[in-house]
Amino acid sequence: MDTVGPSFTHPPRQHHSPSAFFLREALGNFREVGAVAPSSAALARALSAPVELHRTPRTVLEVGAGTGAVTAALVDRLGAADRLDIVESNPRFAAELQAVYARTHLEGGPRIRVRCARIELLHSTFAYDLIVSGLPFANFEPNLVETIVDRYQDLLTPEGSLTYFSYLGTRRIRSLTASRSDALRHRAVEEALARYRQGFEATRRTVWANMPAAHVWHLRGIES
């Protein structure tokens, strides 16, 4: 049985500037949002590209969608037979996504469900062919990162795959500007993710057309 997020019966006013909306939320809670601008079109394409490796009907989970830059790229690649679940912990982002994509399936796109929740607290028995993670792992505690990636593994089909990103140069910047404890925390997060990738077929590409530039990781062959 899936837990169901709040119903959005009163869609919010549409914002004319998604970037400004994103920035306001980021300034209010940078640790959770993890960036000051939405993903670029190039990063969104790279994160959504693994959808093409799975045959339809496909089940996709996007975690940490923000204002929906990657969501839009996923919707472009998915059809009416596919399903896209979105888990977003920020209630304002979640409500905006619901308002934008409420009628997508009626217009020939995938079935979309938006849930306002933290992925590590989401109880679901549903399995996904692909999980696209937009969470800012570098801002989290190592034990939380381990909990989240373990949850991802539980939610994937045996042949499923995971894609996520990390910004370039963050470790170097933190070593120069952050406290020693924060730099050590960031290093521990990188080591936790490296351990998780071991034993999987992992590929990485660099997306330079983003601010900042980012590595996109794709992990295949993860077994439940």
Side-chain angles (χ1 to χ4, degrees), residues 99-119:
V100 171
Y101 292 107
R103 296 179 58 83
T104 301
H105 189 56
L106 298 179
E107 298 167 355
R111 293 167 293 163
I112 295 180
R113 177 171 55 172
V114 180
R115 288 184 283 182
C116 184
R118 298 181 64 90
I119 187 61

Side-chain angles (χ1 to χ4, degrees), residues 97-180:
L97 291 163
Q98 176 66 22
V100 171
Y101 292 107
R103 296 179 58 83
T104 301
H105 189 56
L106 298 179
E107 298 167 355
R111 293 167 293 163
I112 295 180
R113 177 171 55 172
V114 180
R115 288 184 283 182
C116 184
R118 298 181 64 90
I119 187 61
E120 68 272 21
L121 302 178
L122 183 72
H123 300 288
S124 175
T125 56
F126 198 80
Y128 296 91
D129 298 311
L130 172 67
I131 295 177
V132 180
S133 177
L135 295 179
F137 287 137
N139 286 6
F140 296 168
E141 294 297 326
N143 60 342
L144 177 57
V145 172
E146 292 173 347
T147 297
I148 290 172
V149 294
D150 285 345
R151 186 72 187 116
Y152 286 168
Q153 190 162 334
D154 290 340
L155 290 169
L156 284 168
T157 64
E159 300 80 21
S161 61
L162 165 68
T163 183
Y164 70 94
F165 73 95
S166 60
Y167 291 126
L168 272 69
T170 54
R171 182 173 176 181
R172 174 63 175 167
I173 292 171
R174 286 178 189 268
S175 70
L176 296 173
T177 63
S179 66
R180 183 173 183 274

Side-chain angles (χ1 to χ4, degrees), residues 8 12 14-15 17-26 29 32-39 47 62-72 74 85-101 114-117 132-136 165 167:
F8 300 99
Q14 294 300 294
H15 297 267
S17 174
S19 294
F21 178 38
F22 189 98
L23 179 59
R24 285 195 297 271
E25 295 299 315
N29 191 1
E32 291 289 335
V33 177
V36 295
S39 299
L47 286 167
E62 183 185 7
V63 183
T67 54
V70 179
T71 309
L74 287 168
D85 285 352
I86 302 169
V87 175
E88 170 55 58
S89 64
N90 182 300
R92 288 165 294 280
F93 285 159
E96 186 81 357
L97 291 163
Q98 176 66 22
V100 171
Y101 292 107
V114 180
R115 288 184 283 182
C116 184
V132 180
S133 177
L135 295 179
F165 73 95
Y167 291 126

